[in-house]
Every structure is written in C-alpha cells, then in structure tokens.
Amino acid sequence: MADESQDLAEIRHEKLRQIEALGIDPWGHRFDNTTPIGEIRKLPAEGFSDDKPGPKVRAAGRVVRQRPGGKLQFLEIWDQSGRVQLMLRINKLTETEWKVSQLLDLGDLIGVDGEFGKTKTGEPTIQVTQLTFLTKSLEPHPKDVYGIGDEEYRLRHRYLDMIYTPDTLRRAHQRVKIIRTIRNHLDNLGYLEVETPTLHSIAGGAAARPFETHHNALGIDLFVRIALELPLKRLLVGGIEKVYELGRVFRNEGISKKHNPEFTMMELYHAYSDYRGMMDLTEGLIVACVDAIGPTAEIEEKEEYEEKGETKIRIHRKRMYDLFGERHLAFGDKVVNFTPPWQRAKYGDLFREHVGCDMADEAAVQAAAKTAHLKTEVEVTKGGPRVAKAHDVLVQELFEHHVEKALVGPMFVYDYPASLCPLTKRKRDNPAIAERFELFVHGMELANAYTELNDPITQEQTFSQQLTGMAEEDSMAKMDHDFIRALRHGMPPAGGLGIGIDRLVMLLTNTQTIRDVILFPLLRPEAK
C-alpha cells in the first residue's frame, strides 16, 4: 500500500510539473465574486440550449469526482455549501484550459465560469466556459465516497473527513450555531463574558487530575486549569453580578465516548440567585439552542443502489419536527422531548427508588454496596491497613451504578449529599444536603449547578476535608488561601452553573462520541 501511495504521489508531482510547463501557477491566485454552490443549485435550471442560455455563474471548489471522456468530461466540485456537476467540452475552453482539465486529480481546487442548467438526465450542471486552476493536491484523496469508514483515519485526517463525510461538516456548523446562541442568550440577559487565566498555581474548582507545567522565568510549577469557577467567583466579589466564560479546560484523565482531556466548558454566576434560578436559566438556555438548530434537524437514512455497474448512495432525510413536533430531537435510537417544563427529582428519592434504601441508612447502604460488588474498604496508604470508605462516597458510587443509567430526561436531579459538594451552600433545614443539581439526559450528565457557598469559614473547612475512599484527584480538598481571602471580603449569595459544551453538542446533533464534535481530538502520535 505504501508503494502504491508513493506511485500515486509521483504521478501528481509529474502533473504539477506539466501544469507549470503550461505557464500556470499550480498554487493559484485570488479568485473573487464566486457564488456558493448551494446557492447556485437553487437557481432556475433548464436544459442547455444555444437559443436560451441559463444563468451565468462563477464557482470555486475541490474536485471530488471525475468521469473522463473524449472531447467531453464531467467533474463534480465541492465547497462547504454543497456539490455541483461540471460539464467540460473541448470546444468551450481554450487549448490551455482543456490541457489543464486533462491534468486534474481528485482534491485539486479549481474555479469555473459558465452557464447553469440541466443535462439530458436532469442533473443540475455548470457548463464551463472558463477554467481557472487554483491549487494542486499532491496527496491522493479518497475515492468518490460519502463518508470515510476508518475512524482512526478520519480523526487523523479531519480535513478530509470534513470534505467526504457530510455529517462532520454539518456538526461543525451546528456547533458554531449552538455556541453563538448561548452567547446571544446570555448577553441578552445581561451577563458579561470574560476571560480568566489558563495557568493556575492551584488546580481548584473541580474534582480532576490536572496537567502540570513549569514556568522557567518565574521558576514555579503551574497547573493547566481544570475549571473556570474560582476566578469567576472572584469577579462576583469585584462587583460583576452576572458573569460567564466559554473556554477550554484540561483534565489529565481517561478518554471515552464522553471524555476528552481537552474540552469546552461554559460557566456562569449570578449574584443573588440560587440553584433553582439556575434550573430555570439552564432550561431556557438549552431550549434556545434546540430552537436554533431544531427546524433543520433530520433523521438520515442511507440506501445503496447500483447504476451502470457503480455502487452509489442515496440519502433520505426526514425532518424531526415533521415526525415528532417542535423541540424533539433524535439521540441515537431515542427521541428527546425538550419541551419545558423538564422533570425535577430529588437525589434521595431517586436513590431510594433505584437502590432500594434510604441514602442516610448506613447499614443498608453498606449492604447495597456489597450486593452491587462495590468495594466498601480502601487502603489510605499503599500497603497500609484497609479502612471503610466514607458513607457519602459509597452513596455516590451506588447512585452512579444504579440510578444514572435509568435517567431519561431531560431531568434535574437536585439536593446532593453535602460532603460531596465542598463549594456548595447547605440547605437551611438540613445541613447534610447541598443545594446542587445535575442535569441528565439519557444517562449523560450535561450540566452542574450550585447555590454557591459564600461563607469563608465553612469554605475553609470543606477545602480541608478529604473523604476516605475518594481518590485525591477526584477530590476538591485543595486549599486556595487567596480564594478564601476573596470570600472574606464578601461574595454575594449566588447561583452558579457549568455546562459541558461538547456533550451539549453531542446531544443536539445526535452524535454518540465526543471525538466527533471536537474538530481535533487528542490522539496518540502517529506510528512512523
């Protein structure tokens, strides 16, 4: 295969030299006043006739299909708005242009001027009257297929994936639309977007293992941020009462269909609100995103068929809104109804329903953990004696084991065990419970929100508490003295919200793995 690729590459280099010999720059120049192919295809098109010429058009795109002939050949070019067929006749082009057309390869970029119409078979087509060469592709492109099957190849060659897999480009556009909608929605509500540092001296604001680095000039070790939370809360102290940030965060952890070491978060804080206010905000924000992309959301079915001995793919699309009504989107083989109001359920009630005991009953929780084959003891130090896990750690492990997979949603799960939430205010009538919610949709956690803890005395205590059985990287027990000092100057009561943007895009674009909504996910170095 390597020798074959080298041979193909050498053929392309030879064509490059032939194009240069014709006096043409193979890397092209400015080519103005083009019309997107998608807009060209909407123009009125009739059969080609010398008596009644069609609209004059100018387009630029990448060659993605070739059907060579004698004095007539057909190509297809692609831009981000679509594909269109080109018809090239030897008597419609100059001698040089026709020679160039014989040197084209899949992947080359060309510009064309011509007449838009339909062929005898009814195919919308540009009959080319002028051909401009714009860029030579020296590497072989995939053959004319709709989609690249090899996932590893797709991810390493995202630029090809976007050309040959329509869903990849569609998701990229929808992601931009979702993020723009979030910004517009929050801006209209009076939130101020800010930027906070990526390098921190303390990895705080979340339970995660950080990436570490070293600053040579200052001679200090630093952490790449694992959350946006603590700097934004400092801004609450400073008087920005509605604040948010959309930014990358980095966690030195495993990779899965829902996890990538580098991902995008949106965090916001609203002075004088609480976690119930954040529920209303979350619902409105995500519904706005659904409304932004929903009218174009479709279910896609692919059908293979044979034509003149060639296997082709016919795509049938059906609009979700037509099938299920407004604010319904597909996610895998399921349909999610985002119509408000969304379900709301207490953590303790769900625990009792699915685990079968009260989460405060320590003996029953121990028994349930053993039945579920969860470890109830842990070595605090390697080789040391085994000790019982903290009660709330077992409660959370049982919740993850039994409850999360049963949640359909959208569902707000609220009132968590307080010891799991060191940055969260406790309920006034029950200090064992924290005013926190998580939003779940089909077992996937999508958002996390608190009534923010603004008591510096309690905050200092919770930063010091490491729960037995909880790994250090899963704990928020990291003292940040400057953050405590900020709280001591007075932070207003507030609600805070965090949404994983990549997971939201997964959900709203019907994508099953996070690597397909991140344009350049982290991969191992390519084998030499």
Side-chain angles (χ1 to χ4, degrees):
M1 179 65 78
D3 291 340
E4 181 182 352
S5 295
Q6 290 172 3
D7 290 343
L8 292 172
E10 180 54 38
I11 290 171
R12 287 173 177 252
H13 275 274
E14 175 56 31
K15 289 183 179 180
L16 172 73
R17 290 188 282 270
Q18 292 180 45
I19 291 170
E20 289 176 324
L22 292 171
I24 294 171
D25 182 352
W27 309 115
H29 296 283
R30 182 170 176 169
F31 193 73
D32 288 332
N33 303 318
T34 59
T35 301
I37 289 172
E39 293 184 22
I40 290 174
R41 291 183 65 94
K42 295 176 183 177
L43 296 173
E46 298 181 5
F48 292 105
S49 167
D50 292 336
D51 297 330
K52 190 178 179 181
K56 300 297 183 184
V57 296
R58 169 175 264 218
R62 190 179 296 275
V63 177
V64 291
R65 191 180 180 196
Q66 292 176 295
R67 282 195 291 150
K71 297 181 179 181
L72 172 69
Q73 68 167 314
F74 289 93
L75 307 174
E76 276 189 22
I77 60 169
W78 170 94
D79 70 11
Q80 64 175 341
S81 67
R83 291 179 169 215
V84 70
Q85 180 171 268
L86 306 182
M87 181 167 62
L88 286 73
R89 295 180 184 274
I90 191 170
N91 62 345
K92 294 282 186 179
L93 300 176
T94 67
E95 181 180 351
T96 299
E97 288 170 348
W98 182 253
K99 288 180 179 178
V100 168
S101 75
Q102 307 307 298
L103 298 172
L104 294 176
D105 287 308
L106 291 179
D108 289 353
L109 291 161
I110 60 174
V112 295
D113 294 270
E115 172 191 347
F116 183 63
K118 287 184 178 179
T119 61
K120 293 178 181 179
T121 60
E123 179 68 22
T125 300
I126 299 175
Q127 182 171 239
V128 179
T129 56
Q130 185 174 341
L131 174 66
T132 303
F133 195 84
L134 295 176
T135 298
K136 184 64 186 169
S137 172
L138 295 180
E139 288 288 335
H141 276 237
K143 292 183 179 179
D144 180 32
V145 292
Y146 284 85
I148 300 172
D150 187 322
E151 181 180 5
E152 183 77 8
Y153 188 90
R154 286 198 309 107
L155 296 176
R156 291 196 184 279
H157 303 81
R158 183 65 93 190
Y159 39 88
L160 294 178
D161 186 29
M162 296 177 73
I163 298 168
Y164 295 101
T165 309
D167 275 353
T168 301
L169 188 62
R170 174 187 62 84
R171 279 192 295 266
H173 281 275
Q174 288 183 322
R175 181 187 178 106
V176 170
K177 187 177 289 187
I178 289 167
I179 291 174
R180 184 180 296 125
T181 299
I182 290 170
R183 283 195 162 103
N184 290 341
H185 188 84
L186 295 177
D187 292 347
N188 290 337
L189 290 175
Y191 284 83
L192 183 68
E193 183 178 9
V194 299
E195 295 174 300
T196 61
T198 301
L199 296 176
H200 293 178
S201 58
I202 298 171
R209 180 187 292 117
F211 288 97
E212 299 180 39
T213 188
H214 183 80
H215 192 287
N216 293 331
L218 294 178
I220 57 174
D221 292 329
L222 294 168
F223 302 98
V224 187
R225 67 182 176 192
I226 58 174
L228 311 174
E229 181 164 349
L230 301 187
L232 293 177
K233 286 184 177 178
R234 287 175 170 92
L235 297 179
L236 281 182
V237 175
I240 303 179
E241 296 179 355
K242 290 183 175 182
V243 63
Y244 77 98
E245 182 172 6
L246 267 160
R248 288 287 212 193
V249 295
F250 308 84
R251 298 182 182 179
N252 193 0
E253 298 173 340
I255 295 175
S256 75
K257 289 187 175 182
K258 299 178 183 177
H259 299 87
N260 192 69
E262 173 185 4
F263 60 99
T264 303
M265 282 289 295
M266 188 285 298
E267 289 196 30
L268 65 82
Y269 296 89
H270 182 183
Y272 314 117
S273 186
D274 65 4
Y275 74 140
R276 293 190 180 276
M278 294 298 100
M279 286 187 200
D280 296 335
L281 177 66
T282 304
E283 193 173 85
L285 182 62
I286 294 179
V287 165
C289 294
V290 171
D291 289 344
I293 68 168
T296 60
E298 297 172 324
I299 291 179
E300 183 177 281
E301 298 175 354
K302 295 181 180 179
E303 173 193 4
E304 289 190 358
Y305 66 98
E306 295 287 330
E307 183 179 292
K308 296 180 180 179
E310 183 180 356
T311 300
K312 296 186 177 181
I313 296 175
R314 181 183 291 118
I315 298 176
H316 302 283
R317 300 177 186 272
K318 298 178 181 178
R319 293 175 75 250
M320 289 296 301
Y321 275 27
D322 294 337
L323 293 172
F324 300 102
E326 291 187 352
R327 292 176 178 162
H328 288 71
L329 294 179
F331 187 62
D333 58 356
K334 307 173 181 69
V335 175
V336 183
N337 180 5
F338 289 96
T339 305
W342 295 349
Q343 302 172 73
R344 302 185 181 195
K346 287 185 177 181
Y347 183 104
D349 292 343
L350 291 170
F351 188 92
R352 188 180 300 106
E353 176 185 350
H354 294 280
V355 180
C357 64
D358 192 293
M359 68 177 187
D361 187 334
E362 295 192 14
V365 166
Q366 285 279 339
K370 291 176 181 176
T371 300
H373 304 292
L374 299 178
K375 294 180 180 179
T376 59
E377 295 183 334
V378 66
E379 290 181 0
V380 177
T381 57
K382 189 174 182 179
R386 299 182 67 82
V387 297
K389 285 184 179 179
H391 172 69
D392 283 346
V393 172
L394 277 182
V395 167
Q396 178 61 11
E397 289 180 358
L398 282 167
F399 190 89
E400 292 171 350
H401 184 80
H402 286 291
V403 183
E404 289 186 2
K405 62 186 178 184
L407 302 179
V408 177
M411 176 184 283
F412 293 111
V413 178
Y414 64 99
D415 287 357
Y416 277 60
S419 65
L420 301 175
C421 315
L423 292 161
T424 313
K425 185 169 285 190
R426 280 66 177 129
K427 293 188 76 67
R428 279 171 284 186
D429 58 349
N430 186 357
I433 300 297
E435 293 191 349
R436 171 190 179 186
F437 78 73
E438 289 186 304
L439 174 64
F440 287 89
V441 180
H442 286 295
M444 182 167 65
E445 183 242 319
L446 201 63
N448 187 22
Y450 308 150
T451 299
E452 300 298 336
L453 180 60
N454 62 337
D455 172 359
I457 299 171
T458 303
Q459 185 66 86
E460 190 166 14
Q461 293 170 349
T462 59
F463 271 161
S464 304
Q465 294 172 357
Q466 172 65 38
L467 297 183
T468 305
M470 179 178 283
E472 183 177 353
E473 63 268 16
D474 294 332
S475 171
M476 293 191 197
K478 300 178 179 70
M479 183 62 69
D480 186 332
H481 291 289
D482 179 72
F483 178 67
I484 298 297
R485 181 167 59 218
L487 293 186
R488 291 177 70 87
H489 283 86
M491 187 185 92
L497 168 68
I499 295 178
I501 298 300
D502 307 292
R503 289 189 181 182
L504 178 63
V505 175
M506 284 175 62
L507 179 65
L508 300 189
T509 62
N510 192 14
T511 306
Q512 305 307 306
T513 171
I514 195 169
R515 298 204 298 182
D516 276 338
V517 298
I518 297 174
L519 288 177
F520 300 102
L522 182 66
L523 301 170
R524 292 183 186 275
E526 191 169 5
K528 299 295 185 182

